[in-house]
Amino acid sequence: MSLRITDDPAADELLSSNPLALLIGMLLDQQVAMETAFAGPLKIRERTGSMDAAAIAHADPEEFAAAFSQSPAVHRYPGSMAGRVQALCAAIEKDWDGEAERLWTSDDPDGKTVLTRLKALPGFGEQKAKIFLALLGKQCGFDGAGWREASAPYGEEGSFRSVADIVSPESLAKVREHKRAAKAAAKESRS
């Protein structure tokens, strides 16, 4: 697996090789550009020296938030997002023995089971869980039965709806266009 989400080879390599980094990138993907969110795990590792669930969960909250706030900030809301990342890592440590990939590998789960597991994580609602499941299925080799249906509409083949569909600068442009069109349609329907 070789993801190309951030346009930063080092950040993409971390996302490709570290399941926790990928999960944290998805958590950070709100109210910032996708590339910024998914580049966040590399900044966290560079500033704290770790991309380990237990180490992050047990880091001093003030020091961890300070690492998030260093320029350039990991997220536009560094304090609250640092807390969310620590809560996510605490859940991964407690429920999955610190191994994020167990969410989608433990007990050979189907798509619906992985979706349920993702939705149980702090910071993962229905939409974020579906997008991450689609990313697992489309780019990370997850082939649990029914993953496309469980991640609908993000699992649709040939769609350009989310980070799950980004494999190149061209596909990033298509995803951005889809999001712009969806926002415009939503705005139009409210008028």
Side-chain angles (χ1 to χ4, degrees), residues 24-191:
I24 290 172
M26 187 74 234
L27 177 71
L28 295 172
D29 189 16
Q30 57 187 43
Q31 300 180 318
V32 294
M34 285 178 282
E35 305 92 316
T36 301
F38 283 90
L42 180 62
K43 290 178 187 157
I44 294 168
R45 187 180 73 184
E46 289 173 347
R47 295 172 188 180
T48 67
S50 181
M51 188 46 57
D52 172 77
I56 292 172
H58 297 288
D60 178 271
E62 287 182 18
E63 289 177 18
F64 195 70
F68 255 66
S69 299
Q70 289 175 20
S71 187
V74 171
H75 194 277
R76 73 190 290 185
Y77 301 109
S80 64
M81 292 309 287
R84 287 184 182 190
V85 168
Q86 285 194 285
L88 173 67
C89 288
I92 296 297
E93 179 190 25
K94 177 180 172 279
D95 300 332
W96 302 102
D97 297 325
E99 298 175 25
E101 66 273 18
R102 292 195 60 217
L103 284 157
W104 57 91
T105 61
S106 187
D107 301 322
D108 195 26
D110 62 12
K112 187 176 177 184
T113 300
V114 174
L115 182 65
T116 300
R117 291 172 177 179
L118 289 167
K119 287 172 22 180
L121 294 173
F124 275 72
E126 179 90 15
Q127 183 178 20
K128 190 175 288 288
K130 285 184 171 196
I131 291 169
F132 193 78
L133 177 56
L135 177 61
L136 291 174
K138 287 181 171 184
Q139 296 195 51
C140 301
F142 176 70
D143 62 357
W147 73 264
R148 283 193 191 275
E149 295 78 8
S151 65
Y154 303 99
E156 257 176 42
E157 202 165 346
S159 67
F160 292 97
R161 297 179 186 278
S162 72
V163 68
D165 303 305
I166 298 173
V167 296
S168 66
E170 296 77 25
S171 57
L172 173 62
K174 289 179 182 180
V175 168
R176 286 204 194 291
E177 182 51 41
H178 173 80
K179 288 183 175 221
R180 269 193 291 279
K183 279 184 184 177
K187 188 176 182 181
E188 182 68 29
S189 72
R190 287 192 300 262
S191 329

